Amino acid sequence: MRTICFYFQVHQPFRIKPYRFFDIGEDHHYWDDYSNRSIMRKVAQKCYIPMNNLLLEMIHKYNGAFKVSFSISGTCLDQLEAYAPEVLESFQRLVATGHVELLNETDGHALCSLKSKNEFHNMVKSHQEKIKRLFHGYQPKVFRNTELIYSDNIGEMVAELGYDGILTEGAKHVLGWKSPNYVYQNSKNPNLKVLLKNFQLSDDIAFRFGNRTWADYPLTTDKFVNWINAIPQEEEVLNLFMDYETFGEHQWAETGIFEFMRSLPDAVFKHTNFNFSTPTEILKGARTVGKISVPTPISWADEERDLTAWLGNDLQDEAFAKLYELEDQVNAIDDAEIQRDWKYLQTSDHFYYMCTKFFSDGDIHSYFSPYETPYEAFINYMNVLSDFILRLKEKTAALPKAKKKKI
């Protein structure tokens, strides 16, 4: 079996509104409702609606032989329910075909797998329940951690939760001479299978497609199929993982990205010996070639494929540490608004905005950030966190003595 696995990450964070020092203790609503709604509506029109319609058309055209998979973050699902219910319905129609697989992740698109096993389990369970509620009892079998962050220990935690497989980056410094085009096993629990992103071919679509200075511009289906055919015959799996917003948002419709995707399956079926599969189908049908050792976490971000997009500078580390100092207090409080804000404050994007990289990946970070500088992002976030801490203290003071002792 030689097969292509298309995986798309669908994510929108709840962006924080400008929150000043003088708002602390006075204003407990942190979220920029106008920006969140307008951005969701814009991305829905440019990406989600046209691309979902295209995928549905392609699934029907090829009688289910064309397949894709999605991970839709919990924060994105919440915004779809609130701001774009017609988009949520279009995702539901795709899943109902039986040729689209949904994956689980952390509900808040959080970095909790790096800090708290308990919070990680809570976030995964919350996302499981949300997927089950919104997609008619659907239960994912494969996991995708936030930002494809993975290590041996994270894989072991995912295996304990009963998943068959996990997706991550085919990072060069981990693979060495090995190829990402095989199925591997977690080094601590071989029952968990690992699918690795082929970053070269994935990023040709996601990042380079509309770049007129790229040596291989323009990217045509014929060219892409030639690259696919150059993969050695013994390498069975080509994992093309990317943000869903690639289509129409990062790569505008004018680049021809939709036409490229519309014509790609036909070119693959006619001119290669590849088909298309979902992650679960691959795990059932492909052979594993051995364990992969990832002692230090990797991700799919930046040239380094490490954690430095979110953690590593003083701003990020201070905000991250301060946030997770609050975990026990939050868990002791039964308050829907506290729990919602706790979840949304964990979203990885807030830490991404604090990144101080200014060289190889600086332009990418600037593109995604609503702030003028990383320092502005840090101050805004810490102001919000200061107010959140005041609320926790107030709620904690009202708890029974027995609960207070556990904090």
Side-chain angles (χ1 to χ4, degrees):
M1 176 185 75
R2 303 192 82 207
T3 195
I4 296 170
C5 177
F6 263 117
Y7 156 73
F8 304 122
Q9 169 64 42
V10 190
H11 171 58
Q12 291 297 326
F14 278 89
R15 297 159 190 86
I16 298 172
K17 68 184 181 183
Y19 194 91
R20 308 307 177 200
F21 174 80
F22 297 104
D23 294 324
I24 299 170
E26 300 294 329
D27 183 1
H28 302 323
H29 184 75
Y30 311 137
W31 313 109
D32 192 337
D33 298 330
Y34 175 79
S35 289
N36 291 326
R37 184 185 187 282
S38 60
I39 291 172
M40 172 56 78
R41 293 303 311 171
K42 181 192 74 168
V43 178
Q45 295 303 317
K46 293 180 69 176
C47 169
Y48 299 154
I49 290 174
M51 193 59 183
N52 281 4
N53 289 340
L54 175 58
L55 291 180
L56 190 63
E57 170 194 318
M58 293 159 69
I59 288 168
H60 290 318
K61 177 179 179 180
Y62 298 104
N63 296 315
F66 178 73
K67 304 168 186 183
V68 299
S69 58
F70 290 101
S71 176
I72 311 175
S73 70
T75 57
C76 186
L77 288 169
D78 291 348
Q79 291 191 46
L80 290 176
E81 285 192 278
Y83 306 134
E86 75 280 14
V87 176
L88 179 58
E89 291 169 5
S90 69
F91 277 115
Q92 290 167 336
R93 285 193 293 273
L94 281 171
V95 174
T97 65
H99 304 294
V100 171
E101 180 170 358
L102 292 179
L103 313 183
N104 269 139
E105 62 164 270
T106 58
D107 196 28
H109 200 73
L111 303 173
C112 50
S113 63
L114 301 169
K115 191 69 174 179
S116 168
K117 184 175 182 178
N118 182 65
E119 183 61 23
F120 179 68
H121 281 199
N122 289 340
M123 278 271 190
V124 174
K125 183 179 179 183
S126 177
H127 194 256
Q128 287 173 338
E129 292 170 350
K130 192 168 289 181
I131 292 292
K132 190 173 184 179
R133 173 175 63 85
L134 294 174
F135 292 92
H136 311 292
Y138 193 99
Q139 294 182 295
K141 299 177 181 178
V142 176
F143 191 79
R144 182 269 189 194
N145 197 23
T146 307
E147 314 295 356
L148 288 191
I149 292 172
Y150 176 81
S151 69
D152 298 333
N153 289 336
I154 291 171
E156 189 177 30
M157 286 196 297
V158 170
E160 289 171 0
L161 292 170
Y163 291 96
D164 297 330
I166 188 169
L167 276 55
T168 191
E169 175 69 34
K172 278 185 179 179
H173 67 277
V174 169
L175 283 170
W177 56 268
K178 297 177 183 176
S179 168
N181 304 326
Y182 292 105
V183 179
Y184 293 88
Q185 298 166 302
N186 174 260
S187 67
K188 293 192 172 184
N189 188 331
N191 290 324
L192 184 80
K193 306 302 187 293
V194 183
L195 294 178
L196 302 176
K197 171 187 167 188
N198 183 309
F199 69 84
Q200 181 67 49
L201 292 177
S202 297
D203 292 354
D204 285 340
I205 298 173
F207 294 110
R208 291 182 279 273
F209 186 86
N211 182 2
R212 292 177 177 271
T213 65
W214 179 34
D216 287 302
Y217 179 88
L219 179 57
T220 64
T221 53
D222 287 344
K223 191 179 294 182
F224 199 74
V225 160
N226 286 338
W227 294 342
I228 292 173
N229 283 329
I231 295 172
Q233 286 296 313
E234 65 273 14
E235 298 183 12
E236 298 180 331
V237 180
L238 172 59
N239 295 313
L240 300 175
F241 301 167
M242 61 199 73
D243 286 331
Y244 199 40
E245 294 79 15
T246 293
F247 304 97
E249 174 65 12
H250 304 160
Q251 305 291 341
W252 290 4
E254 291 80 0
T255 65
I257 190 73
F258 291 107
E259 288 73 17
F260 173 83
M261 282 299 294
R262 178 177 279 109
S263 60
L264 184 60
D266 192 58
V268 168
F269 290 135
K270 287 182 177 177
H271 304 296
T272 79
N273 60 353
F274 279 84
N275 60 19
F276 294 90
S277 299
T278 63
T280 293
E281 290 174 338
I282 291 172
L283 298 183
K284 287 180 179 178
R287 62 190 174 90
T288 57
V289 295
K291 297 177 181 179
I292 183 167
S293 178
V294 189
T296 303
I298 58 174
S299 77
W300 70 350
D302 298 348
E303 288 188 0
E304 298 88 352
R305 286 351 194 231
D306 59 10
L307 303 181
T308 53
W310 308 276
L311 299 173
N313 69 38
D314 291 342
L315 307 178
Q316 295 166 319
D317 292 348
E318 181 180 343
F320 190 68
K322 195 71 174 176
L323 176 68
Y324 282 98
E325 285 175 6
L326 309 176
E327 181 182 353
D328 290 342
Q329 287 177 263
V330 171
N331 288 338
I333 296 169
D334 184 16
D335 181 284
E337 290 189 359
I338 289 287
Q339 296 298 328
R340 177 203 64 195
D341 291 345
W342 167 245
K343 178 175 69 175
Y344 293 167
L345 284 169
Q346 292 184 64
T347 299
S348 65
D349 301 63
H350 304 311
F351 303 95
Y352 190 85
Y353 302 149
M354 301 175 200
C355 185
T356 52
K357 291 183 179 181
F358 297 114
F359 298 103
S360 60
D361 300 295
D363 289 343
I364 295 174
H365 286 264
S366 298
Y367 173 84
F368 286 108
S369 179
Y371 298 98
E372 291 292 327
T373 69
Y375 311 102
E376 182 185 329
F378 171 75
I379 292 168
N380 207 54
Y381 185 84
M382 295 306 284
N383 284 343
V384 166
L385 206 56
S386 295
D387 184 80
F388 187 68
I389 290 169
L390 291 178
R391 290 166 63 198
L392 288 180
K393 288 180 178 177
E394 186 179 301
K395 296 285 184 180
T396 301
L399 289 174
K401 287 185 179 179
K403 273 200 168 184
K404 288 181 186 177
K405 287 180 181 178
K406 293 180 181 179
I407 299 175

